[in-house]
Amino acid sequence: MSSHAQIVGSPDAPALSLLWRSEDDTAAFARRLAAAPELRQACIELHGELGAGKTSFVRHLLRALGVAGRIKSPTYAVVEPHQTPDGLAVSHFDFYRFTDPREWEDAGLRDLFAAPGLKLSEWPDKAAGLLPAPDLALRLTVRDDGARAVRVSAHTPRGRRLLTELGA
């Protein structure tokens, strides 16, 4: 984990405050998270403006989990499925263009979220009310110096265990 970590929040809503100064910091955090056993069934939401680094973080996390080949953003497809070498199913969602709640059922998203595996959701606010509670939520903010201020907050018992595994 970056040396720029700080525990924030309360015991009921613990969070970790990080500063990613470079892609190396992003990749290092992704490797730590990938090593956490609790991650395998987690739902993680990624919040931040365009260009904040949400998709870059997902790419680093998928690489840390052993996913090879091209990792593309699911902006137009809504979801991109991946599988790790040890068989973990990973679903990467991007709800940026999600506008019609009927898409939820039509695309089988309810079934994907109910299935085992890791779920990563960009722009979750666009699907508000349809998504399960996230275990972790990452909020990325671009600072004036180009670094990313990142707040990692836990919203479930699994999320709190993940924060513990990350050293929070």
Side-chain angles (χ1 to χ4, degrees), residues 37-43 88-89 115-119 135 158:
E38 287 284 346
L39 180 73
R40 298 184 67 81
Q41 299 303 318
C43 287
L88 174 65
L118 173 61
K119 285 80 174 180
D135 296 301
R158 176 180 284 124

Side-chain angles (χ1 to χ4, degrees), residues 54-167:
K54 298 178 297 294
T55 302
S56 291
F57 168 72
V58 169
R59 283 186 182 116
H60 285 295
L61 183 59
L62 291 173
R63 290 285 183 235
L65 289 167
V67 174
R70 185 168 180 241
I71 298 173
K72 60 183 182 172
S73 173
T75 300
Y76 293 101
V78 181
V79 62
E80 285 290 334
H82 300 279
Q83 189 165 357
T84 66
D86 67 355
L88 174 65
V90 181
S91 296
H92 177 199
F93 300 89
D94 185 330
F95 293 107
Y96 184 72
R97 288 179 168 70
F98 187 82
T99 57
D100 185 350
R102 289 178 297 193
E103 279 183 85
W104 183 258
E105 293 297 332
D106 294 346
L109 299 179
R110 179 185 311 276
D111 294 337
L112 285 174
F113 273 91
L118 173 61
K119 285 80 174 180
L120 305 166
S121 299
E122 296 186 47
W123 300 98
D125 297 342
K126 303 266 186 169
L130 298 171
L131 299 177
D135 296 301
L136 290 180
L138 278 69
R139 183 162 307 278
L140 288 76
T141 305
V142 181
R143 296 180 357 153
D144 289 341
D145 63 1
R148 279 22 181 204
V150 182
R151 180 181 171 98
V152 183
S153 55
H155 297 273
T156 65
R158 176 180 284 124
R160 287 188 283 283
R161 289 189 302 271
L162 276 164
L163 278 184
T164 298
E165 289 180 38
L166 290 168

